[in-house]
Amino acid sequence: MPVLYSLFAVLVAAALILLLLRPGVARPMTVWGLAALLPVLAALSASLAAQGRAARVLDAAPVQGTAVTITTAGRTYSVTLDAQDAACLERALRLKARVILDVPPVKVPVQPGTRVSGTLPDRAAVEAQSIRGTLACPRLRAQRQ
């Protein structure tokens, strides 16, 4: 599907160039319409291509739950995370966010300098979840500074 939109964008660009090379052939609204259509087609093509790549990444390596040990602020927490929480924790660590991970019975403060022992999902899988719109982090809360 992205190839189809890319091909259509190329055809619209070619039509626009043809009309611009021969002044007076087309009406101004036609030229304006073609010029306005180009960025929309480019955005659609890029978006669909990113969705496709994200789907392939998630098919190749689905995100799974894991047991990790989190060391932060001089304390150590051993928690078992489901797939969503593990992905959210990886993203929070990568972005150096100040959040609280609420995994009953504990609330773990996550901040820059927090260390995690154990396996978290790789960055590509977490970004793919974000692109697909499947990454939800209800157990992460912003930390007051």
Side-chain angles (χ1 to χ4, degrees):
M1 194 66 145
V3 173
L4 183 67
Y5 281 104
S6 296
L7 180 63
F8 191 55
V10 169
L11 290 174
V12 168
L16 182 61
I17 289 171
L18 182 69
L19 291 175
L20 290 176
L21 288 176
R22 299 179 52 115
V25 173
R27 294 184 177 171
M29 288 304 288
T30 303
V31 173
W32 181 87
L34 289 174
L37 188 59
L38 275 175
V40 172
L41 290 173
L44 270 171
S45 179
S47 174
L48 289 172
Q51 287 282 339
R53 280 191 305 275
R56 285 190 298 278
V57 166
L58 290 175
D59 287 344
V63 180
Q64 299 175 358
T66 185
V68 296
T69 302
I70 303 170
T71 304
T72 182
R75 294 192 60 194
T76 301
Y77 304 89
S78 293
V79 295
T80 301
L81 303 173
D82 63 12
Q84 286 290 314
D85 292 336
C88 292
L89 179 60
E90 188 281 332
R91 185 177 67 175
L93 291 170
R94 182 171 29 92
L95 298 176
K96 296 180 173 72
R98 291 183 174 274
V99 294
I100 295 175
L101 177 62
D102 187 8
V103 185
V106 296
K107 292 185 179 187
V108 182
V110 178
Q111 54 200 7
T114 297
R115 292 179 312 192
V116 175
S117 300
T119 306
L120 290 176
D122 64 340
R123 179 180 183 164
V126 175
E127 288 176 351
Q129 279 188 311
S130 295
I131 290 171
R132 297 287 294 171
T134 58
L135 184 62
C137 301
R139 293 189 182 182
L140 282 183
R141 307 263 188 257
Q143 214 179 63
R144 293 187 182 177
Q145 296 182 1

